[in-house]
Amino acid sequence: MIMDNLMLYLKENTPDQAFIGLFSSNEGKKLYEKYGFQQYPALTGMFRVAPI
């Protein structure tokens, strides 16, 4: 529910092509992948680009 609210906020308030990043434990990766975040090998954390 928290992630749903956060993603709705980002959808309504984030400009196109905004870079959205987060740090996650290995256990949290599956949750964030459900919301379109991806892990990039050269970077620490998971990221996605708006629009949401």
Side-chain angles (χ1 to χ4, degrees), residues 3 7 28-37 46 48:
M3 278 301 295
M7 296 305 289
K29 280 180 21 178
K30 289 184 182 181
L31 168 67
Y32 299 121
E33 287 171 346
K34 291 180 184 178
Y35 289 92
F37 289 86
M46 298 177 75
R48 69 170 290 159

Side-chain angles (χ1 to χ4, degrees), residues 4-36:
D4 291 333
N5 288 335
L6 177 60
M7 296 305 289
L8 179 61
Y9 175 85
L10 291 172
K11 183 176 184 175
E12 293 175 348
N13 295 284
T14 306
D16 287 349
Q17 301 302 310
F19 183 82
I20 303 159
L22 60 85
F23 292 96
S24 171
S25 65
N26 285 332
E27 294 83 7
K29 280 180 21 178
K30 289 184 182 181
L31 168 67
Y32 299 121
E33 287 171 346
K34 291 180 184 178
Y35 289 92

